[in-house]
Amino acid sequence: MSEPLITYELDGNVALIGLNRPDKRNAINDPLIDELRAAVLRAHEEADVAVLFGHGSNFCAGLDLAEALARATGQIKPQRKRRRHNWHEVFDLIARGPIPFVAALHGAVVGGGLELATAAHVRVGDATALFGLPEGQRGIFVGGGGTVRIQRVVGTTVMMDMMLTGRLLNAAEGLQADVIRYTTPAGEALAKAKELAVRIAQNSIDTNWMIINVLPRIHDLSHDDGLFVEQLNSARARPPEAEARLREFVDGKAKKLQENQA
Ligand code: 1HE
């Protein structure tokens, strides 16, 4: 049997999802997207947080260019019916699903690899990480949600520069542009991502859901509609768990916030 294109492991309440096509630098083809979809849905069922990482020396080289060529030359037939782009579907399952995702990034994080990374909610990059959007050099355009997601993370100016000049950002530049929020020495991104995932898993599941689903939607609303949606959600945040957690603080038994420093 051939190796899976995606590895999956449940470590306590954290799912570890690994891109596993290192000989092709974890380039994303249709079978890999299908396996990623299955892993994400499984994590939704049984984990409270998931970590996304790449096996081998890179996170992900983006779109499988050989498959893209086969499609462009008609060797892969287009589907008879129009349907939602499979990357949009799967990346949205990550970005707007029931659980937060932490991405551990190293080596090349380019094109669709960066689109996938920005579907995650917290991103860690090690010292080897390089972020880029080489679509211009390949004669194609971003298609995995990057115009929406990457543009919101780094802003139009940075994204346009990355796309027009093909410039790669290193870890320090990625940190400055908010592509990542944490950097580590080489080889340590996954350990840091796991540590953050364990910490995130200690939050209320309900609040985590609101953070990843309500916050980005409010970002897209007007001031007035945003405050309205905030009120609907904050009024709803009073499950028995909230009462227990509030009581824990009032009784002086809650963990000190200072323990959460990066
Ligand atoms: C690939 C791919 C790929 C590597 N599709 N096969 N993405 C890109 O434009 C990035 C293309 N890749 C690279 O620039 C480099 O491979 C890397 C910088 C990522 C890594 O370099 P290196 O020297 O470690 O590896 P390599 O020798 O270039 O590649 C090793 C093998 O992986 C080789 O195959 P082999 O059979 O000859 O060993 C490569 O062909 C293969 N490989 N990357 C297919 N991307 C929905 S829109 C999204 C738009 C995009 O993502 S555009 C960006 C596409």
Side-chain angles (χ1 to χ4, degrees), residues 23-25 27 61-65 87 108 110-112 115 134-135 138 140-141 143-144:
D23 52 326
K24 297 289 181 187
R25 307 305 184 251
L63 176 68
D64 185 312
L65 296 169
W87 291 32
V110 299
E115 295 183 294
E135 282 81 354
R138 311 288 177 228
I140 55 178
F141 192 57

mmCIF file with all atom_site columns, all heavy atoms in Angstrom, residues 23-25 27 61-65 87 108 110-112 115 134-135 138 140-141 143-144, ligand 1:
data_model
loop_
_atom_site.group_PDB
_atom_site.id
_atom_site.type_symbol
_atom_site.label_atom_id
_atom_site.label_alt_id
_atom_site.label_comp_id
_atom_site.label_asym_id
_atom_site.label_entity_id
_atom_site.label_seq_id
_atom_site.pdbx_PDB_ins_code
_atom_site.Cartn_x
_atom_site.Cartn_y
_atom_site.Cartn_z
_atom_site.occupancy
_atom_site.B_iso_or_equiv
_atom_site.pdbx_formal_charge
_atom_site.auth_seq_id
_atom_site.auth_comp_id
_atom_site.auth_asym_id
_atom_site.auth_atom_id
_atom_site.pdbx_PDB_model_num
ATOM   1   N N   . ASP A 1 23  ? 8.724   14.092 -1.169  1.00 0.00 ? 23  ASP A N   1
ATOM   2   C CA  . ASP A 1 23  ? 9.508   14.001 -2.411  1.00 0.00 ? 23  ASP A CA  1
ATOM   3   C C   . ASP A 1 23  ? 9.060   15.056 -3.414  1.00 0.00 ? 23  ASP A C   1
ATOM   4   O O   . ASP A 1 23  ? 9.831   15.484 -4.266  1.00 0.00 ? 23  ASP A O   1
ATOM   5   C CB  . ASP A 1 23  ? 9.413   12.593 -3.017  1.00 0.00 ? 23  ASP A CB  1
ATOM   6   C CG  . ASP A 1 23  ? 7.982   12.125 -3.181  1.00 0.00 ? 23  ASP A CG  1
ATOM   7   O OD1 . ASP A 1 23  ? 7.140   12.497 -2.324  1.00 0.00 ? 23  ASP A OD1 1
ATOM   8   O OD2 . ASP A 1 23  ? 7.682   11.429 -4.173  1.00 0.00 ? 23  ASP A OD2 1
ATOM   9   N N   . LYS A 1 24  ? 7.819   15.517 -3.312  1.00 0.00 ? 24  LYS A N   1
ATOM   10  C CA  . LYS A 1 24  ? 7.322   16.597 -4.189  1.00 0.00 ? 24  LYS A CA  1
ATOM   11  C C   . LYS A 1 24  ? 7.110   17.873 -3.374  1.00 0.00 ? 24  LYS A C   1
ATOM   12  O O   . LYS A 1 24  ? 6.296   18.731 -3.728  1.00 0.00 ? 24  LYS A O   1
ATOM   13  C CB  . LYS A 1 24  ? 6.015   16.191 -4.875  1.00 0.00 ? 24  LYS A CB  1
ATOM   14  C CG  . LYS A 1 24  ? 6.154   14.985 -5.805  1.00 0.00 ? 24  LYS A CG  1
ATOM   15  C CD  . LYS A 1 24  ? 6.947   15.335 -7.069  1.00 0.00 ? 24  LYS A CD  1
ATOM   16  C CE  . LYS A 1 24  ? 7.045   14.136 -7.994  1.00 0.00 ? 24  LYS A CE  1
ATOM   17  N NZ  . LYS A 1 24  ? 7.948   14.419 -9.132  1.00 0.00 ? 24  LYS A NZ  1
ATOM   18  N N   . ARG A 1 25  ? 7.838   17.984 -2.283  1.00 0.00 ? 25  ARG A N   1
ATOM   19  C CA  . ARG A 1 25  ? 7.814   19.173 -1.424  1.00 0.00 ? 25  ARG A CA  1
ATOM   20  C C   . ARG A 1 25  ? 6.393   19.499 -0.931  1.00 0.00 ? 25  ARG A C   1
ATOM   21  O O   . ARG A 1 25  ? 5.992   20.643 -0.787  1.00 0.00 ? 25  ARG A O   1
ATOM   22  C CB  . ARG A 1 25  ? 8.427   20.396 -2.129  1.00 0.00 ? 25  ARG A CB  1
ATOM   23  C CG  . ARG A 1 25  ? 9.834   20.157 -2.706  1.00 0.00 ? 25  ARG A CG  1
ATOM   24  C CD  . ARG A 1 25  ? 10.809  19.636 -1.663  1.00 0.00 ? 25  ARG A CD  1
ATOM   25  N NE  . ARG A 1 25  ? 12.170  19.494 -2.172  1.00 0.00 ? 25  ARG A NE  1
ATOM   26  C CZ  . ARG A 1 25  ? 12.780  18.309 -2.410  1.00 0.00 ? 25  ARG A CZ  1
ATOM   27  N NH1 . ARG A 1 25  ? 12.142  17.160 -2.171  1.00 0.00 ? 25  ARG A NH1 1
ATOM   28  N NH2 . ARG A 1 25  ? 14.021  18.278 -2.830  1.00 0.00 ? 25  ARG A NH2 1
ATOM   29  N N   . ALA A 1 27  ? 3.660   19.377 -2.440  1.00 0.00 ? 27  ALA A N   1
ATOM   30  C CA  . ALA A 1 27  ? 2.797   20.084 -3.402  1.00 0.00 ? 27  ALA A CA  1
ATOM   31  C C   . ALA A 1 27  ? 1.394   19.485 -3.336  1.00 0.00 ? 27  ALA A C   1
ATOM   32  O O   . ALA A 1 27  ? 1.219   18.276 -3.139  1.00 0.00 ? 27  ALA A O   1
ATOM   33  C CB  . ALA A 1 27  ? 3.373   19.952 -4.808  1.00 0.00 ? 27  ALA A CB  1
ATOM   34  N N   . ALA A 1 61  ? 4.993   23.328 -1.126  1.00 0.00 ? 61  ALA A N   1
ATOM   35  C CA  . ALA A 1 61  ? 5.384   24.050 -2.354  1.00 0.00 ? 61  ALA A CA  1
ATOM   36  C C   . ALA A 1 61  ? 4.181   24.504 -3.168  1.00 0.00 ? 61  ALA A C   1
ATOM   37  O O   . ALA A 1 61  ? 4.333   24.886 -4.332  1.00 0.00 ? 61  ALA A O   1
ATOM   38  C CB  . ALA A 1 61  ? 6.293   23.179 -3.204  1.00 0.00 ? 61  ALA A CB  1
ATOM   39  N N   . GLY A 1 62  ? 2.987   24.470 -2.577  1.00 0.00 ? 62  GLY A N   1
ATOM   40  C CA  . GLY A 1 62  ? 1.808   25.017 -3.267  1.00 0.00 ? 62  GLY A CA  1
ATOM   41  C C   . GLY A 1 62  ? 1.193   24.049 -4.259  1.00 0.00 ? 62  GLY A C   1
ATOM   42  O O   . GLY A 1 62  ? 1.362   22.822 -4.170  1.00 0.00 ? 62  GLY A O   1
ATOM   43  N N   . LEU A 1 63  ? 0.534   24.624 -5.216  1.00 0.00 ? 63  LEU A N   1
ATOM   44  C CA  . LEU A 1 63  ? -0.170  23.839 -6.246  1.00 0.00 ? 63  LEU A CA  1
ATOM   45  C C   . LEU A 1 63  ? 0.772   22.852 -6.922  1.00 0.00 ? 63  LEU A C   1
ATOM   46  O O   . LEU A 1 63  ? 1.900   23.215 -7.280  1.00 0.00 ? 63  LEU A O   1
ATOM   47  C CB  . LEU A 1 63  ? -0.712  24.825 -7.292  1.00 0.00 ? 63  LEU A CB  1
ATOM   48  C CG  . LEU A 1 63  ? -1.398  24.260 -8.526  1.00 0.00 ? 63  LEU A CG  1
ATOM   49  C CD1 . LEU A 1 63  ? -2.718  23.605 -8.157  1.00 0.00 ? 63  LEU A CD1 1
ATOM   50  C CD2 . LEU A 1 63  ? -1.641  25.381 -9.547  1.00 0.00 ? 63  LEU A CD2 1
ATOM   51  N N   . ASP A 1 64  ? 0.296   21.624 -7.150  1.00 0.00 ? 64  ASP A N   1
ATOM   52  C CA  . ASP A 1 64  ? 1.079   20.657 -7.928  1.00 0.00 ? 64  ASP A CA  1
ATOM   53  C C   . ASP A 1 64  ? 1.088   21.137 -9.375  1.00 0.00 ? 64  ASP A C   1
ATOM   54  O O   . ASP A 1 64  ? 0.069   21.083 -10.075 1.00 0.00 ? 64  ASP A O   1
ATOM   55  C CB  . ASP A 1 64  ? 0.461   19.263 -7.817  1.00 0.00 ? 64  ASP A CB  1
ATOM   56  C CG  . ASP A 1 64  ? 1.317   18.229 -8.521  1.00 0.00 ? 64  ASP A CG  1
ATOM   57  O OD1 . ASP A 1 64  ? 1.713   18.475 -9.686  1.00 0.00 ? 64  ASP A OD1 1
ATOM   58  O OD2 . ASP A 1 64  ? 1.608   17.190 -7.919  1.00 0.00 ? 64  ASP A OD2 1
ATOM   59  N N   . LEU A 1 65  ? 2.262   21.616 -9.802  1.00 0.00 ? 65  LEU A N   1
ATOM   60  C CA  . LEU A 1 65  ? 2.345   22.253 -11.122 1.00 0.00 ? 65  LEU A CA  1
ATOM   61  C C   . LEU A 1 65  ? 2.234   21.235 -12.252 1.00 0.00 ? 65  LEU A C   1
ATOM   62  O O   . LEU A 1 65  ? 1.777   21.576 -13.347 1.00 0.00 ? 65  LEU A O   1
ATOM   63  C CB  . LEU A 1 65  ? 3.632   23.068 -11.211 1.00 0.00 ? 65  LEU A CB  1
ATOM   64  C CG  . LEU A 1 65  ? 3.692   24.245 -10.210 1.00 0.00 ? 65  LEU A CG  1
ATOM   65  C CD1 . LEU A 1 65  ? 5.089   24.847 -10.156 1.00 0.00 ? 65  LEU A CD1 1
ATOM   66  C CD2 . LEU A 1 65  ? 2.657   25.317 -10.544 1.00 0.00 ? 65  LEU A CD2 1
ATOM   67  N N   . TRP A 1 87  ? -10.291 23.463 -3.029  1.00 0.00 ? 87  TRP A N   1
ATOM   68  C CA  . TRP A 1 87  ? -9.410  24.095 -2.029  1.00 0.00 ? 87  TRP A CA  1
ATOM   69  C C   . TRP A 1 87  ? -10.213 25.059 -1.164  1.00 0.00 ? 87  TRP A C   1
ATOM   70  O O   . TRP A 1 87  ? -10.012 25.130 0.044   1.00 0.00 ? 87  TRP A O   1
ATOM   71  C CB  . TRP A 1 87  ? -8.284  24.891 -2.699  1.00 0.00 ? 87  TRP A CB  1
ATOM   72  C CG  . TRP A 1 87  ? -7.247  24.096 -3.410  1.00 0.00 ? 87  TRP A CG  1
ATOM   73  C CD1 . TRP A 1 87  ? -7.417  22.896 -4.059  1.00 0.00 ? 87  TRP A CD1 1
ATOM   74  C CD2 . TRP A 1 87  ? -5.873  24.443 -3.551  1.00 0.00 ? 87  TRP A CD2 1
ATOM   75  N NE1 . TRP A 1 87  ? -6.229  22.508 -4.603  1.00 0.00 ? 87  TRP A NE1 1
ATOM   76  C CE2 . TRP A 1 87  ? -5.272  23.424 -4.319  1.00 0.00 ? 87  TRP A CE2 1
ATOM   77  C CE3 . TRP A 1 87  ? -5.105  25.525 -3.136  1.00 0.00 ? 87  TRP A CE3 1
ATOM   78  C CZ2 . TRP A 1 87  ? -3.908  23.461 -4.648  1.00 0.00 ? 87  TRP A CZ2 1
ATOM   79  C CZ3 . TRP A 1 87  ? -3.755  25.568 -3.467  1.00 0.00 ? 87  TRP A CZ3 1
ATOM   80  C CH2 . TRP A 1 87  ? -3.172  24.539 -4.214  1.00 0.00 ? 87  TRP A CH2 1
ATOM   81  N N   . ALA A 1 108 ? 9.927   25.940 2.484   1.00 0.00 ? 108 ALA A N   1
ATOM   82  C CA  . ALA A 1 108 ? 9.060   26.677 1.555   1.00 0.00 ? 108 ALA A CA  1
ATOM   83  C C   . ALA A 1 108 ? 7.610   26.658 2.017   1.00 0.00 ? 108 ALA A C   1
ATOM   84  O O   . ALA A 1 108 ? 7.053   25.605 2.330   1.00 0.00 ? 108 ALA A O   1
ATOM   85  C CB  . ALA A 1 108 ? 9.171   26.058 0.164   1.00 0.00 ? 108 ALA A CB  1
ATOM   86  N N   . VAL A 1 110 ? 4.885   28.372 0.078   1.00 0.00 ? 110 VAL A N   1
ATOM   87  C CA  . VAL A 1 110 ? 4.701   29.231 -1.090  1.00 0.00 ? 110 VAL A CA  1
ATOM   88  C C   . VAL A 1 110 ? 3.403   28.929 -1.832  1.00 0.00 ? 110 VAL A C   1
ATOM   89  O O   . VAL A 1 110 ? 2.902   27.803 -1.803  1.00 0.00 ? 110 VAL A O   1
ATOM   90  C CB  . VAL A 1 110 ? 5.909   29.128 -2.063  1.00 0.00 ? 110 VAL A CB  1
ATOM   91  C CG1 . VAL A 1 110 ? 7.194   29.572 -1.377  1.00 0.00 ? 110 VAL A CG1 1
ATOM   92  C CG2 . VAL A 1 110 ? 6.079   27.735 -2.617  1.00 0.00 ? 110 VAL A CG2 1
ATOM   93  N N   . GLY A 1 111 ? 2.913   29.951 -2.514  1.00 0.00 ? 111 GLY A N   1
ATOM   94  C CA  . GLY A 1 111 ? 1.694   29.801 -3.309  1.00 0.00 ? 111 GLY A CA  1
ATOM   95  C C   . GLY A 1 111 ? 0.574   29.214 -2.468  1.00 0.00 ? 111 GLY A C   1
ATOM   96  O O   . GLY A 1 111 ? 0.221   29.739 -1.401  1.00 0.00 ? 111 GLY A O   1
ATOM   97  N N   . GLY A 1 112 ? 0.024   28.098 -2.950  1.00 0.00 ? 112 GLY A N   1
ATOM   98  C CA  . GLY A 1 112 ? -1.056  27.439 -2.213  1.00 0.00 ? 112 GLY A CA  1
ATOM   99  C C   . GLY A 1 112 ? -0.649  27.004 -0.818  1.00 0.00 ? 112 GLY A C   1
ATOM   100 O O   . GLY A 1 112 ? -1.506  26.842 0.063   1.00 0.00 ? 112 GLY A O   1
ATOM   101 N N   . GLU A 1 115 ? -1.454  29.885 1.179   1.00 0.00 ? 115 GLU A N   1
ATOM   102 C CA  . GLU A 1 115 ? -2.918  29.977 1.294   1.00 0.00 ? 115 GLU A CA  1
ATOM   103 C C   . GLU A 1 115 ? -3.425  29.008 2.365   1.00 0.00 ? 115 GLU A C   1
ATOM   104 O O   . GLU A 1 115 ? -4.284  29.351 3.185   1.00 0.00 ? 115 GLU A O   1
ATOM   105 C CB  . GLU A 1 115 ? -3.574  29.666 -0.060  1.00 0.00 ? 115 GLU A CB  1
ATOM   106 C CG  . GLU A 1 115 ? -3.237  30.704 -1.118  1.00 0.00 ? 115 GLU A CG  1
ATOM   107 C CD  . GLU A 1 115 ? -3.947  30.443 -2.435  1.00 0.00 ? 115 GLU A CD  1
ATOM   108 O OE1 . GLU A 1 115 ? -3.643  29.413 -3.083  1.00 0.00 ? 115 GLU A OE1 1
ATOM   109 O OE2 . GLU A 1 115 ? -4.806  31.235 -2.816  1.00 0.00 ? 115 GLU A OE2 1
ATOM   110 N N   . PRO A 1 134 ? 4.746   32.827 -5.915  1.00 0.00 ? 134 PRO A N   1
ATOM   111 C CA  . PRO A 1 134 ? 5.393   32.839 -7.240  1.00 0.00 ? 134 PRO A CA  1
ATOM   112 C C   . PRO A 1 134 ? 4.441   32.660 -8.421  1.00 0.00 ? 134 PRO A C   1
ATOM   113 O O   . PRO A 1 134 ? 4.893   32.330 -9.520  1.00 0.00 ? 134 PRO A O   1
ATOM   114 C CB  . PRO A 1 134 ? 6.356   31.642 -7.138  1.00 0.00 ? 134 PRO A CB  1
ATOM   115 C CG  . PRO A 1 134 ? 5.723   30.704 -6.178  1.00 0.00 ? 134 PRO A CG  1
ATOM   116 C CD  . PRO A 1 134 ? 4.859   31.525 -5.249  1.00 0.00 ? 134 PRO A CD  1
ATOM   117 N N   . GLU A 1 135 ? 3.155   32.882 -8.203  1.00 0.00 ? 135 GLU A N   1
ATOM   118 C CA  . GLU A 1 135 ? 2.189   32.648 -9.283  1.00 0.00 ? 135 GLU A CA  1
ATOM   119 C C   . GLU A 1 135 ? 2.550   33.394 -10.557 1.00 0.00 ? 135 GLU A C   1
ATOM   120 O O   . GLU A 1 135 ? 2.398   32.873 -11.668 1.00 0.00 ? 135 GLU A O   1
ATOM   121 C CB  . GLU A 1 135 ? 0.774   33.059 -8.818  1.00 0.00 ? 135 GLU A CB  1
ATOM   122 C CG  . GLU A 1 135 ? 0.082   32.066 -7.909  1.00 0.00 ? 135 GLU A CG  1
ATOM   123 C CD  . GLU A 1 135 ? 0.522   32.155 -6.452  1.00 0.00 ? 135 GLU A CD  1
ATOM   124 O OE1 . GLU A 1 135 ? 1.457   32.922 -6.133  1.00 0.00 ? 135 GLU A OE1 1
ATOM   125 O OE2 . GLU A 1 135 ? -0.069  31.457 -5.618  1.00 0.00 ? 135 GLU A OE2 1
ATOM   126 N N   . ARG A 1 138 ? 4.742   31.611 -12.723 1.00 0.00 ? 138 ARG A N   1
ATOM   127 C CA  . ARG A 1 138 ? 4.179   30.369 -13.292 1.00 0.00 ? 138 ARG A CA  1
ATOM   128 C C   . ARG A 1 138 ? 3.036   30.634 -14.269 1.00 0.00 ? 138 ARG A C   1
ATOM   129 O O   . ARG A 1 138 ? 2.412   29.712 -14.780 1.00 0.00 ? 138 ARG A O   1
ATOM   130 C CB  . ARG A 1 138 ? 3.656   29.453 -12.179 1.00 0.00 ? 138 ARG A CB  1
ATOM   131 C CG  . ARG A 1 138 ? 4.608   29.218 -11.027 1.00 0.00 ? 138 ARG A CG  1
ATOM   132 C CD  . ARG A 1 138 ? 5.781   28.327 -11.381 1.00 0.00 ? 138 ARG A CD  1
ATOM   133 N NE  . ARG A 1 138 ? 6.691   28.205 -10.245 1.00 0.00 ? 138 ARG A NE  1
ATOM   134 C CZ  . ARG A 1 138 ? 8.003   28.348 -10.305 1.00 0.00 ? 138 ARG A CZ  1
ATOM   135 N NH1 . ARG A 1 138 ? 8.589   28.582 -11.460 1.00 0.00 ? 138 ARG A NH1 1
ATOM   136 N NH2 . ARG A 1 138 ? 8.744   28.243 -9.225  1.00 0.00 ? 138 ARG A NH2 1
ATOM   137 N N   . ILE A 1 140 ? 0.110   31.879 -13.589 1.00 0.00 ? 140 ILE A N   1
ATOM   138 C CA  . ILE A 1 140 ? -1.222  31.598 -13.020 1.00 0.00 ? 140 ILE A CA  1
ATOM   139 C C   . ILE A 1 140 ? -1.536  32.643 -11.951 1.00 0.00 ? 140 ILE A C   1
ATOM   140 O O   . ILE A 1 140 ? -0.767  33.592 -11.760 1.00 0.00 ? 140 ILE A O   1
ATOM   141 C CB  . ILE A 1 140 ? -1.291  30.168 -12.431 1.00 0.00 ? 140 ILE A CB  1
ATOM   142 C CG1 . ILE A 1 140 ? -0.167  29.958 -11.405 1.00 0.00 ? 140 ILE A CG1 1
ATOM   143 C CG2 . ILE A 1 140 ? -1.193  29.130 -13.547 1.00 0.00 ? 140 ILE A CG2 1
ATOM   144 C CD1 . ILE A 1 140 ? -0.190  28.599 -10.727 1.00 0.00 ? 140 ILE A CD1 1
ATOM   145 N N   . PHE A 1 141 ? -2.641  32.456 -11.260 1.00 0.00 ? 141 PHE A N   1
ATOM   146 C CA  . PHE A 1 141 ? -3.051  33.407 -10.222 1.00 0.00 ? 141 PHE A CA  1
ATOM   147 C C   . PHE A 1 141 ? -3.391  32.618 -8.967  1.00 0.00 ? 141 PHE A C   1
ATOM   148 O O   . PHE A 1 141 ? -3.666  31.410 -9.043  1.00 0.00 ? 141 PHE A O   1
ATOM   149 C CB  . PHE A 1 141 ? -4.282  34.195 -10.719 1.00 0.00 ? 141 PHE A CB  1
ATOM   150 C CG  . PHE A 1 141 ? -4.636  35.393 -9.880  1.00 0.00 ? 141 PHE A CG  1
ATOM   151 C CD1 . PHE A 1 141 ? -3.714  36.413 -9.639  1.00 0.00 ? 141 PHE A CD1 1
ATOM   152 C CD2 . PHE A 1 141 ? -5.900  35.502 -9.320  1.00 0.00 ? 141 PHE A CD2 1
ATOM   153 C CE1 . PHE A 1 141 ? -4.045  37.518 -8.871  1.00 0.00 ? 141 PHE A CE1 1
ATOM   154 C CE2 . PHE A 1 141 ? -6.249  36.615 -8.554  1.00 0.00 ? 141 PHE A CE2 1
ATOM   155 C CZ  . PHE A 1 141 ? -5.312  37.615 -8.329  1.00 0.00 ? 141 PHE A CZ  1
ATOM   156 N N   . GLY A 1 143 ? -5.461  30.863 -6.241  1.00 0.00 ? 143 GLY A N   1
ATOM   157 C CA  . GLY A 1 143 ? -6.794  30.279 -6.421  1.00 0.00 ? 143 GLY A CA  1
ATOM   158 C C   . GLY A 1 143 ? -7.311  29.549 -5.206  1.00 0.00 ? 143 GLY A C   1
ATOM   159 O O   . GLY A 1 143 ? -8.392  28.987 -5.223  1.00 0.00 ? 143 GLY A O   1
ATOM   160 N N   . GLY A 1 144 ? -6.525  29.546 -4.129  1.00 0.00 ? 144 GLY A N   1
ATOM   161 C CA  . GLY A 1 144 ? -6.941  28.813 -2.931  1.00 0.00 ? 144 GLY A CA  1
ATOM   162 C C   . GLY A 1 144 ? -7.413  29.738 -1.820  1.00 0.00 ? 144 GLY A C   1
ATOM   163 O O   . GLY A 1 144 ? -7.250  29.426 -0.644  1.00 0.00 ? 144 GLY A O   1
HETATM 164 C C1  . 1HE B 2 .   ? 6.867   20.017 -7.402  1.00 0.00 ? 1   1HE B C1  1
HETATM 165 C C2  . 1HE B 2 .   ? 6.470   21.264 -6.887  1.00 0.00 ? 1   1HE B C2  1
HETATM 166 C C3  . 1HE B 2 .   ? 5.194   21.749 -7.250  1.00 0.00 ? 1   1HE B C3  1
HETATM 167 C C4  . 1HE B 2 .   ? 8.441   20.836 -6.145  1.00 0.00 ? 1   1HE B C4  1
HETATM 168 N N1  . 1HE B 2 .   ? 4.434   20.990 -8.082  1.00 0.00 ? 1   1HE B N1  1
HETATM 169 N N2  . 1HE B 2 .   ? 6.088   19.304 -8.233  1.00 0.00 ? 1   1HE B N2  1
HETATM 170 N N3  . 1HE B 2 .   ? 4.650   26.518 -6.517  1.00 0.00 ? 1   1HE B N3  1
HETATM 171 C C5  . 1HE B 2 .   ? 5.868   26.881 -6.923  1.00 0.00 ? 1   1HE B C5  1
HETATM 172 O O1  . 1HE B 2 .   ? 6.034   27.607 -7.879  1.00 0.00 ? 1   1HE B O1  1
HETATM 173 C C6  . 1HE B 2 .   ? 7.041   26.312 -6.162  1.00 0.00 ? 1   1HE B C6  1
HETATM 174 C C7  . 1HE B 2 .   ? 7.734   25.254 -6.993  1.00 0.00 ? 1   1HE B C7  1
HETATM 175 N N4  . 1HE B 2 .   ? 8.773   24.571 -6.218  1.00 0.00 ? 1   1HE B N4  1
HETATM 176 C C8  . 1HE B 2 .   ? 9.958   25.130 -5.957  1.00 0.00 ? 1   1HE B C8  1
HETATM 177 O O2  . 1HE B 2 .   ? 10.225  26.277 -6.251  1.00 0.00 ? 1   1HE B O2  1
HETATM 178 C C9  . 1HE B 2 .   ? 10.966  24.284 -5.249  1.00 0.00 ? 1   1HE B C9  1
HETATM 179 O O3  . 1HE B 2 .   ? 10.620  22.910 -5.469  1.00 0.00 ? 1   1HE B O3  1
HETATM 180 C C10 . 1HE B 2 .   ? 11.047  24.516 -3.729  1.00 0.00 ? 1   1HE B C10 1
HETATM 181 C C11 . 1HE B 2 .   ? 11.652  25.899 -3.456  1.00 0.00 ? 1   1HE B C11 1
HETATM 182 C C12 . 1HE B 2 .   ? 9.692   24.399 -3.049  1.00 0.00 ? 1   1HE B C12 1
HETATM 183 C C13 . 1HE B 2 .   ? 11.956  23.411 -3.092  1.00 0.00 ? 1   1HE B C13 1
HETATM 184 O O4  . 1HE B 2 .   ? 13.195  23.391 -3.775  1.00 0.00 ? 1   1HE B O4  1
HETATM 185 P P1  . 1HE B 2 .   ? 14.096  22.072 -3.743  1.00 0.00 ? 1   1HE B P1  1
HETATM 186 O O5  . 1HE B 2 .   ? 15.388  22.390 -4.447  1.00 0.00 ? 1   1HE B O5  1
HETATM 187 O O6  . 1HE B 2 .   ? 14.182  21.535 -2.361  1.00 0.00 ? 1   1HE B O6  1
HETATM 188 O O7  . 1HE B 2 .   ? 13.279  20.947 -4.567  1.00 0.00 ? 1   1HE B O7  1
HETATM 189 P P2  . 1HE B 2 .   ? 13.170  20.737 -6.157  1.00 0.00 ? 1   1HE B P2  1
HETATM 190 O O8  . 1HE B 2 .   ? 14.381  19.999 -6.643  1.00 0.00 ? 1   1HE B O8  1
HETATM 191 O O9  . 1HE B 2 .   ? 12.807  21.967 -6.874  1.00 0.00 ? 1   1HE B O9  1
HETATM 192 O O10 . 1HE B 2 .   ? 11.901  19.756 -6.249  1.00 0.00 ? 1   1HE B O10 1
HETATM 193 C C14 . 1HE B 2 .   ? 11.945  18.431 -5.751  1.00 0.00 ? 1   1HE B C14 1
HETATM 194 C C15 . 1HE B 2 .   ? 10.862  17.645 -6.463  1.00 0.00 ? 1   1HE B C15 1
HETATM 195 O O11 . 1HE B 2 .   ? 9.590   18.182 -6.097  1.00 0.00 ? 1   1HE B O11 1
HETATM 196 C C16 . 1HE B 2 .   ? 10.934  17.755 -7.978  1.00 0.00 ? 1   1HE B C16 1
HETATM 197 O O12 . 1HE B 2 .   ? 10.395  16.560 -8.508  1.00 0.00 ? 1   1HE B O12 1
HETATM 198 P P3  . 1HE B 2 .   ? 11.380  15.406 -9.088  1.00 0.00 ? 1   1HE B P3  1
HETATM 199 O O13 . 1HE B 2 .   ? 10.438  14.312 -9.511  1.00 0.00 ? 1   1HE B O13 1
HETATM 200 O O14 . 1HE B 2 .   ? 12.155  16.055 -10.197 1.00 0.00 ? 1   1HE B O14 1
HETATM 201 O O15 . 1HE B 2 .   ? 12.245  15.013 -7.922  1.00 0.00 ? 1   1HE B O15 1
HETATM 202 C C17 . 1HE B 2 .   ? 9.972   18.886 -8.289  1.00 0.00 ? 1   1HE B C17 1
HETATM 203 O O16 . 1HE B 2 .   ? 9.451   18.826 -9.599  1.00 0.00 ? 1   1HE B O16 1
HETATM 204 C C18 . 1HE B 2 .   ? 8.881   18.601 -7.251  1.00 0.00 ? 1   1HE B C18 1
HETATM 205 N N5  . 1HE B 2 .   ? 8.103   19.788 -6.940  1.00 0.00 ? 1   1HE B N5  1
HETATM 206 N N6  . 1HE B 2 .   ? 7.463   21.747 -6.107  1.00 0.00 ? 1   1HE B N6  1
HETATM 207 C C19 . 1HE B 2 .   ? 4.877   19.817 -8.534  1.00 0.00 ? 1   1HE B C19 1
HETATM 208 N N7  . 1HE B 2 .   ? 4.723   22.903 -6.785  1.00 0.00 ? 1   1HE B N7  1
HETATM 209 C C20 . 1HE B 2 .   ? -4.750  27.074 -6.432  1.00 0.00 ? 1   1HE B C20 1
HETATM 210 S S1  . 1HE B 2 .   ? -3.700  28.325 -6.864  1.00 0.00 ? 1   1HE B S1  1
HETATM 211 C C21 . 1HE B 2 .   ? -2.188  28.061 -6.078  1.00 0.00 ? 1   1HE B C21 1
HETATM 212 C C22 . 1HE B 2 .   ? -1.104  28.620 -6.922  1.00 0.00 ? 1   1HE B C22 1
HETATM 213 C C23 . 1HE B 2 .   ? 0.250   28.162 -6.491  1.00 0.00 ? 1   1HE B C23 1
HETATM 214 O O17 . 1HE B 2 .   ? 0.432   27.419 -5.554  1.00 0.00 ? 1   1HE B O17 1
HETATM 215 S S2  . 1HE B 2 .   ? 1.535   28.792 -7.406  1.00 0.00 ? 1   1HE B S2  1
HETATM 216 C C24 . 1HE B 2 .   ? 2.970   28.213 -6.625  1.00 0.00 ? 1   1HE B C24 1
HETATM 217 C C25 . 1HE B 2 .   ? 3.424   26.894 -7.164  1.00 0.00 ? 1   1HE B C25 1
#
